[in-house]
Amino acid sequence: MPELPEVETIRRSLAPCIGATIAAVDVWQWQLRKPVDRRALRSVVGRRIDQLLRRGKYLLVGLSDEQVLLLHFGMSGTLRIAPPEAQREEHDHLQLVLGDGRRLVLNDPRRFGLVWAGKLEETEELAQLGPDALSDDFTPEYLYRSLRRFSRAIKNVLLDQRVVAGIGNIYANEALFVAGLRPGRPARRLTRADAARLHAALRTTLSEAIAAGGSSIADFHDGNGRPGYFQLCFRVYDREGEPCITCGRAIRRVILTGRSSFFCPRCQH
Ligand SMILES: [Zn+2]
């Protein structure tokens, strides 16, 4: 959390800020996942927000002069538009003050988020990412060939951002159910047909979640403070012991490398 659909939801909700100039930056908490680079962050002041992009779970604020502000929301981060008169809230760590007085405020209770400013080609984080799960580069054939390289569980491979960017624990569980595949199955045993089904399931699940405004667990809200609704549509995630929506059998939970994995023992093979 937040995964691809939540970051995409934040990105879309911030569209009213495109064209605004960053007049000032205030930082209240320098210690996030990595310390915030004071000098780099100051370099965004005076620049205009030209575009908002997303790659995997990263939000890229494209600024004038080819500068970029890169944000990762860790476990619990959000970026919201606050009116000029709004008070600072608990866990607000930094804000971009826009020319018209509005502010873009980063809130992150667990502080696993990341903020970085500089030239796009200098970002180490993005260089290591695989193709975005909704991009044209992420094809069924790419997924098949990637899975063939690993003997570990399929779900663990889906969570590896170097293989495919944007998928976290919720959407990996949900897509594997839609594809009828068990999370713990060794990745390299998947056939081409399995990989094609999984690819389609990932695209569908992520698109449905974006349409629902993301999933509001861990108190997720978009840039305007609106919650998402996809948590009401979970097929298996966090439903241990509840009946499978297809066959009625109780959903099981197992732990794979420290993460809860949910599946139907009858529908997933
Ligand atoms: Zn079932």
Side-chain angles (χ1 to χ4, degrees):
M1 274 305 278
E3 304 180 25
L4 186 156
E6 288 75 37
V7 180
E8 180 63 18
T9 298
I10 293 173
R11 186 187 77 80
R12 293 181 183 187
S13 69
L14 299 181
C17 296
I18 293 174
T21 299
I22 299 172
V25 179
D26 298 319
V27 180
W28 302 298
Q29 173 58 262
W30 295 95
Q31 196 57 52
L32 299 178
R33 175 153 46 116
K34 291 179 184 171
V36 178
D37 182 338
R38 207 174 285 245
R39 204 167 52 115
L41 202 57
R42 215 175 284 137
S43 74
V44 308
V45 174
R47 298 192 198 280
R48 188 185 59 239
I49 298 176
D50 281 342
Q51 53 183 344
L52 295 160
L53 304 169
R54 183 192 53 72
R55 177 105 182 266
K57 303 180 194 175
Y58 287 89
L59 179 73
L60 289 90
V61 182
L63 304 170
S64 44
D65 307 315
E66 293 174 15
Q67 293 288 305
V68 67
L69 182 68
L70 183 75
L71 293 118
H72 189 281
F73 299 103
M75 301 294 287
S76 57
T78 53
L79 193 64
R80 71 173 189 278
I81 306 174
E85 67 280 6
Q87 297 285 313
R88 185 182 156 197
E89 295 179 11
E90 193 181 9
H91 307 302
D92 283 351
H93 300 319
L94 65 88
Q95 68 175 6
L96 308 176
V97 182
L98 305 182
D100 59 10
R102 287 178 304 167
R103 289 169 287 135
L104 280 178
V105 186
L106 177 72
N107 185 285
D108 185 2
R110 295 182 64 180
R111 285 202 272 141
F112 281 109
L114 181 104
V115 179
W116 183 91
K119 294 266 187 207
L120 185 58
E121 59 271 20
E122 293 166 359
T123 59
E124 287 170 28
E125 279 82 8
L126 295 187
Q128 295 170 1
L129 286 187
D132 185 272
L134 288 181
S135 71
D136 292 342
D137 294 338
F138 181 62
T139 62
E141 183 63 20
Y142 170 86
L143 178 61
Y144 172 68
R145 280 188 282 107
S146 302
L147 292 170
R148 297 284 295 174
R149 289 166 32 221
F150 298 99
S151 53
R152 53 197 162 111
I154 322 167
K155 186 168 146 263
N156 293 345
V157 178
L158 292 179
L159 296 182
D160 186 339
Q161 303 299 301
R162 293 167 298 184
V163 174
V164 52
I167 300 163
N169 202 33
I170 293 176
Y171 299 105
N173 274 297
E174 290 293 301
L176 285 165
F177 174 80
V178 173
L181 297 166
R182 287 215 185 184
R185 203 160 129 190
R188 72 152 64 111
R189 298 241 185 96
L190 261 67
T191 64
R192 239 190 200 92
D194 290 335
R197 228 167 46 246
L198 179 55
H199 179 272
L202 285 164
R203 293 286 183 116
T204 308
T205 307
L206 294 169
S207 301
E208 285 174 357
I210 291 169
S215 301
S216 279
I217 60 170
D219 204 27
F220 170 76
H221 290 82
D222 74 4
N224 299 307
R226 279 192 287 263
Y229 296 99
F230 195 69
Q231 71 280 5
L232 305 175
C233 310
F234 287 161
R235 294 165 170 104
V236 286
Y237 184 80
D238 206 20
R239 294 192 65 237
E240 183 183 14
E242 293 178 38
C244 168
I245 56 166
T246 305
C247 74
R249 183 78 72 92
I251 298 298
R252 274 195 209 156
R253 181 174 77 106
V254 293
I255 304 291
L256 291 173
T257 49
R259 310 295 300 273
S260 286
S261 304
F262 302 89
F263 66 97
C264 171
R266 185 178 287 167
C267 297
Q268 290 173 260
H269 304 281

